[in-house]
Amino acid sequence: MTDAGTPGASLTVRDNRTGQEYDVPIVDGTIRAADLGKIKTDDDLPGLAVYDPGFTNTASCRSSVTYIDGDKGILEYRGYPIEQLAEGSTFLEVAYLLIHGALPTKEEYAAWEHEITYHTFVHENVKSLMQGFRYDAHPMGMLMSSVGALSTFYPAARDIDDPANRHMQIVRMIAKMPTLGAWSFRHAQGKPYVYPDNDLSYTANFLSMLFKMSESKFEPDERLVKALDVLFILHADHEQNCSANAVRSVGSSQVDPYSAVSAGIGALFGPLHGGANEAVLRMLRRIGSKENIPAFIDGVKNGNERLMGFGHRVYKNYDPRARIIKKAADDVFEVTGVNPLLEIALELEKIALEDEYFVKRKLYPNVDFYSGLIYEALEFPPEMFTVLFAIGRTPGWLAQWNELVQDKEQKIARPKQIYTGERTLDFVPASQRWA
Ligand code: ACO
């Protein structure tokens, strides 16, 4: 639980430079950085600041979207445990929950499903834009650009103070993301883009846009639809992660949500974030067989490389999502046959969970360790893995953005720095320097 704090709790700070003492209030287990700013050696000098690269111990907002206890391996969306949502809900219902803060009534859900289904199509010019990419364009680059481009199709989205307008853009983005994701996949294959089939469920329609060929109606295996839907649920939000922070940071300038979410997609693209599942698969392929695992582990321990899919900034225990994914993997493999890389992954996990290097650093499998294996079994090339993550994460980004723009305490994100460069040098024009 978050430490709600004792009323009136405070921290006494003694500045040994001046001998002065300060009482700093503690609220919700935090102190305000601005209160530290009052600690000064001279009224004319800047106050004390905190240095926190990567924000490892800095709360940037108050949020009621997602709760994580990394030590205990707990993840809840709006208070509901991820295990229960993965078991009994659907991605669209979870999206509703994240955005609205509560589960829908039957009527609310029907309206939500209708709205999302109604907005799956994109303007034909978006299609032309996507067709302009090189044949080998990374689908994440295509997704990031096309989501950013949507801001030009919906200029009214800039009116972020109007709740109805915000709702419209949220619906559009959740609805269109599978269309853009699927088209970036078809593009690389040189196949025609498939239009949405609004008779299908959200996830079944996505599979249809990915894999439909000449058949008049695409009929996906319901077990695969369910597995992909669960994967979307698991990725739907994860509080202040790198991409949510990017969405919030860019959104804090009051730009439209398409621009903010496209920044989030950029953040997710990186191998330390959403790109990790792609990296896991490449790593498993490189290891090749169980016999090569000990030498690989030695290389990791010697600092030559990282065991991708292991470790997490927040989870210092088994990532709860990794547990659910392992189960989803079994369901998918029942349909597709077992991915031969699974054997290597299971052995790697077994060795790493017993090895002192990983145990001491509390490095456990994260959500990406097994997700790539499922995606590969579903016949996605590794470049598409992060696109799937982005589709799942969209409601989370938008819930975080919606919360940000209504939060009166938020300001434009603008951290401080510790300046380490030169000062007051005298500029000599090039004509004299090079003479
Ligand atoms: N393999 C080997 N050693 C590792 C790994 C790993 N995967 N992760 C962390 N470590 C080691 C570090 O070398 C460091 O060791 P040291 O104390 O001897 O220097 C220690 O564990 C702490 O690591 P940090 O890098 O300080 O941890 P941080 O919280 O900054 O990084 C991160 C978290 C980026 C996820 C890291 O664990 C990592 O790179 N993992 C591999 C990439 C990955 O799977 N990313 C997906 C994350 S989940 C997601 O975004 C959806």
Side-chain angles (χ1 to χ4, degrees):
M1 285 293 288
T2 310
D3 172 17
T6 318
S10 70
L11 175 77
T12 301
V13 180
R14 183 186 151 80
D15 186 345
N16 291 326
R17 299 171 299 179
T18 59
Q20 212 173 320
E21 285 197 356
Y22 300 81
D23 254 358
V24 182
I26 300 178
V27 179
D28 291 331
T30 63
I31 56 168
R32 294 214 164 223
D35 285 337
L36 293 183
K38 294 175 191 157
I39 302 177
K40 297 182 174 190
T41 52
D42 188 304
D43 279 349
D44 295 334
L45 291 175
L48 197 64
V50 290
Y51 178 55
D52 189 9
F55 308 127
T56 58
N57 195 27
T58 297
S60 65
C61 61
R62 304 173 73 84
S63 178
S64 62
V65 180
T66 289
Y67 174 78
I68 300 177
D69 182 331
D71 290 326
K72 296 200 183 105
I74 294 174
L75 169 61
E76 294 168 2
Y77 297 156
R78 301 285 190 185
Y80 294 97
I82 190 67
E83 293 80 1
Q84 293 181 24
L85 294 172
E87 177 77 28
S89 188
T90 61
F91 176 64
L92 264 199
E93 187 180 43
V94 166
Y96 184 99
L97 172 68
L98 285 168
I99 300 292
H100 296 84
L103 289 168
T105 61
K106 195 174 173 191
E107 292 72 28
E108 285 166 341
Y109 185 75
W112 175 247
E113 191 178 33
H114 176 76
E115 276 186 305
I116 301 279
T117 309
Y118 188 78
H119 286 281
T120 49
F121 279 73
V122 296
H123 194 289
E124 279 295 291
N125 288 4
V126 175
K127 188 173 152 195
S128 319
L129 173 96
M130 295 183 80
Q131 282 168 331
F133 278 93
R134 265 180 64 127
Y135 69 96
D136 58 352
H138 196 292
M140 273 301 270
M142 290 182 67
L143 187 68
M144 181 165 47
S145 318
S146 48
V147 170
L150 289 181
S151 74
T152 69
F153 290 85
Y154 305 110
R158 290 204 288 272
D159 183 7
I160 61 167
D161 292 328
D162 173 11
N165 196 335
R166 284 202 304 272
H167 178 78
M168 188 70 257
Q169 315 316 324
I170 287 171
V171 165
R172 280 195 179 123
M173 234 178 300
I174 295 173
K176 295 182 196 313
M177 204 61 99
T179 312
L180 301 175
W183 287 4
S184 64
F185 170 76
R186 302 283 289 203
H187 184 79
Q189 303 193 327
K191 290 181 181 158
Y193 298 179
V194 177
Y195 287 101
D197 180 344
N198 289 346
D199 291 337
L200 295 173
S201 72
Y202 186 86
T203 304
N205 169 49
F206 177 52
L207 286 169
S208 165
M209 290 188 288
L210 288 163
F211 299 120
K212 183 169 181 286
M213 290 307 291
S214 58
E215 63 272 43
S216 57
K217 184 105 192 146
F218 184 78
E219 283 170 8
D221 188 306
E222 275 310 315
R223 290 169 296 179
L224 299 185
V225 174
K226 173 71 188 154
L228 193 55
D229 206 68
V230 166
L231 282 159
F232 285 158
I233 292 174
L234 298 184
H235 286 93
D237 194 52
H238 214 230
E239 49 119 306
Q240 305 313 312
N241 55 85
C242 179
S243 56
N245 182 58
V247 171
R248 278 181 174 264
S249 188
V250 172
S252 76
S253 74
Q254 302 193 345
V255 75
D256 69 89
Y258 300 101
S259 302
V261 167
S262 98
I265 297 174
L268 191 71
F269 197 177
L272 296 189
H273 192 10
N277 49 16
E278 184 178 338
V280 169
L281 214 81
R282 296 195 197 284
M283 173 189 79
L284 294 176
R285 280 217 192 90
R286 197 156 41 82
I287 296 172
S289 74
K290 269 165 69 173
E291 297 74 62
N292 300 331
I293 292 178
F296 172 79
I297 293 276
D298 282 348
V300 170
K301 285 157 65 175
N302 292 335
N304 300 343
E305 62 181 309
R306 290 203 161 188
L307 171 52
M308 298 311 284
F310 258 68
H312 199 278
R313 173 60 61 76
V314 176
Y315 293 118
K316 302 302 168 197
N317 200 322
Y318 214 99
D319 181 337
R321 300 167 301 172
R323 243 186 256 287
I324 302 168
I325 281 203
K326 253 177 128 170
K327 158 89 179 57
D330 290 340
D331 296 344
V332 169
F333 295 155
E334 206 181 288
V335 184
T336 62
V338 175
N339 187 327
L341 296 177
L342 177 68
E343 210 193 8
I344 301 174
L346 288 170
E347 185 67 13
L348 261 181
E349 178 186 330
K350 187 166 153 272
I351 293 176
L353 290 181
E354 287 163 0
D355 191 294
E356 204 215 327
Y357 174 95
F358 299 92
V359 173
K360 211 171 84 191
R361 290 170 178 78
K362 298 190 175 165
L363 299 171
Y364 293 87
N366 60 48
V367 66
D368 284 325
F369 193 63
Y370 287 104
S371 60
L373 290 174
I374 302 185
Y375 295 150
E376 191 178 67
L378 292 172
E379 296 181 17
F380 290 111
E383 303 77 57
M384 268 303 284
F385 296 177
T386 321
V387 171
L388 302 171
F389 191 156
I391 294 171
R393 183 55 56 89
T394 300
W397 286 329
L398 292 167
Q400 299 281 345
W401 170 78
N402 206 22
E403 192 173 64
L404 164 93
V405 298
Q406 294 177 78
D407 183 346
K408 299 271 179 287
E409 272 197 317
Q410 285 297 328
K411 293 179 183 305
I412 185 165
R414 204 313 185 177
K416 280 186 175 251
Q417 63 166 7
I418 300 171
Y419 179 66
T420 60
E422 306 275 8
R423 291 284 322 279
T424 57
L425 302 178
D426 279 324
F427 177 71
V428 180
S431 58
Q432 291 175 35
R433 290 193 328 269
W434 300 340

